[in-house]
Amino acid sequence: MIKSSIFLILGLIFSLFSFGQNDYINYNLKSFQARKLNYENKLDSAVLLYQQAFNLVDYVHIENLRAGQKLAEKIKNDSLLAFCKNRIEDYSKDNNINTKYRSIIDSLSIEDQRVRRDNYGEAKYVYYESINDSTSNKESADFIKAKELMMEWWAVDSINMNTLLTLIKVNGFPSEKRVGKEAYGNAFIILLHFDKDEDNQILKPIIDKALIEGDIEPSDYAWIIDRRLSWGRQRKDPYYYQMPIGAEILSEGEVVEVNRRRKEIGLRKLFEGIEIKKDDMSISWKILY
């Protein structure tokens, strides 16, 4: 009888965490709701949502595993705790990480950030201020130096993007699963800076596929889409309002429509789970859960 009970429990645990469907849209929605329930101290319900979310995919992201582990330890849920700990331990071995791919991305990231620091930032200001002023002296030493630095900046971005696009064709999207969480974040920033790809004509098919396969976070997907719209030459309104600038003036009907779009990609509702702080000069937001 005891032996049968043990096998029954093991069977339930296995079925609870069996994978194969890979519904990353609902996985992301349920994971967010689990974080929300945890924040509201509805711990048993949060566990259930995490279990449902994890059952939808074959790769559970490390941030969700850590949140699930912390919650399971708090309420002593052995099945969720064992699952999260085993997965985290497995990920730590780097057995499935493409280390060469990761190393190249890290190198690209160093260059990406190098040309966005110190004198390059000042050069950008000088260059565009002069370009937009028809009376400025385009032969001045300051402008010539600024132009040289900007040309280097553009060259780095071009090389980075061409290299990364080639890597994606060969190795797949640089997801957390393939290159680790840190390198994924570095690759995302490089993709975000690909502003020459107006309307995301090159990136859209790539990140669409990555979203469905769980290789890009919904928030990062939305950020890339919105940046091209907001920063492009035509300065269009954001589609997802991932950066909630301007969202406060949306009508009730517009908020409903934006939330519909966000749900389609597995993203939380506008203003949900964040705290927005505004003053006369800036706007910032803090993620609560």
Side-chain angles (χ1 to χ4, degrees), residues 149-161 196:
L149 290 176
M150 288 308 301
M151 290 180 69
E152 182 184 356
W153 184 333
W154 296 328
V156 166
D157 279 356
S158 179
I159 292 170
N160 276 359
M161 274 313 308
K196 288 187 177 181

Side-chain angles (χ1 to χ4, degrees), residues 21-278:
Q21 298 181 64
N22 281 330
D23 181 358
Y24 277 100
I25 301 301
N26 281 309
Y27 156 81
N28 283 306
L29 290 171
K30 287 181 180 292
S31 295
F32 172 77
Q33 289 302 317
R35 293 197 300 274
K36 180 180 180 181
L37 289 168
N38 189 15
Y39 182 81
E40 295 171 346
N41 207 35
K42 299 174 182 177
L43 305 185
D44 289 332
S45 296
V47 166
L48 180 61
L49 261 294
Y50 272 127
Q51 290 171 334
Q52 290 177 0
F54 296 172
N55 194 40
L56 292 174
V57 296
D58 60 2
Y59 182 85
V60 179
H61 297 80
I62 189 69
E63 182 178 344
N64 287 328
L65 288 173
R66 288 171 177 161
Q69 178 181 350
K70 186 176 181 179
L71 173 61
E73 288 173 343
K74 186 174 183 179
I75 66 170
K76 296 180 172 55
N77 185 295
D78 293 338
S79 61
L80 179 61
L81 179 60
F83 175 81
C84 292
K85 288 181 70 174
N86 288 338
R87 283 283 169 141
I88 291 171
E89 182 179 353
D90 183 51
Y91 292 175
S92 69
K93 298 174 184 176
D94 280 358
N95 290 336
N96 298 315
I97 297 295
N98 186 330
T99 54
K100 183 177 180 180
Y101 194 2
R102 179 175 63 187
S103 178
I104 296 172
I105 288 172
D106 290 344
S107 296
L108 297 179
S109 177
I110 290 171
E111 283 296 285
D112 175 86
Q113 293 303 299
R114 179 181 68 81
V115 296
R116 286 173 167 81
R117 293 196 186 105
D118 304 328
N119 53 334
Y120 290 91
E122 183 180 348
K124 181 179 180 180
Y125 174 79
V126 171
Y127 177 81
Y128 282 108
E129 185 179 58
S130 183
I131 286 294
N132 294 323
D133 181 1
S134 60
T135 65
S136 67
N137 181 10
K138 305 299 191 295
E139 303 298 326
S140 70
D142 286 345
F143 177 77
I144 292 173
K145 180 61 177 177
K147 184 177 180 180
E148 289 175 354
L149 290 176
M150 288 308 301
M151 290 180 69
E152 182 184 356
W153 184 333
W154 296 328
V156 166
D157 279 356
S158 179
I159 292 170
N160 276 359
M161 274 313 308
N162 287 333
T163 302
L164 187 52
L165 289 173
T166 299
L167 288 168
I168 290 172
K169 286 181 181 179
V170 174
N171 301 291
F173 193 85
S175 62
E176 177 185 306
K177 182 178 181 179
R178 290 189 179 94
V179 298
K181 183 174 177 59
E182 183 178 356
Y184 160 77
N186 290 337
F188 159 68
I189 293 298
I190 295 170
L191 294 172
L192 187 67
H193 289 158
F194 190 25
D195 292 318
K196 288 187 177 181
D197 182 26
E198 294 195 19
D199 298 323
N200 286 305
Q201 292 181 357
I202 296 173
L203 282 188
K204 185 68 162 55
I206 295 172
I207 62 175
D208 280 351
K209 182 174 183 288
L211 179 70
I212 296 301
E213 295 180 353
D215 289 340
I216 188 171
E217 294 287 337
S219 56
D220 295 339
Y221 175 94
W223 199 349
I224 290 174
I225 297 296
D226 282 355
R227 176 171 167 128
R228 299 295 181 269
L229 292 169
S230 301
W231 290 35
R233 285 180 292 183
Q234 297 184 25
R235 300 285 177 175
K236 299 177 182 178
D237 291 334
Y239 193 73
Y240 297 108
Y241 284 87
Q242 174 56 18
M243 295 177 288
I245 300 172
E248 72 279 1
I249 64 173
L250 294 175
S251 69
E252 184 177 338
E254 288 171 330
V255 169
V256 170
E257 171 58 21
V258 170
N259 282 335
R260 182 194 64 78
R261 299 170 187 170
R262 292 168 69 94
K263 185 177 181 180
E264 284 184 343
I265 64 170
L267 191 57
R268 59 173 173 75
K269 293 180 180 179
L270 268 176
F271 312 120
E272 190 175 21
I274 63 172
E275 180 181 77
I276 297 178
K277 295 182 179 180
K278 292 179 61 178

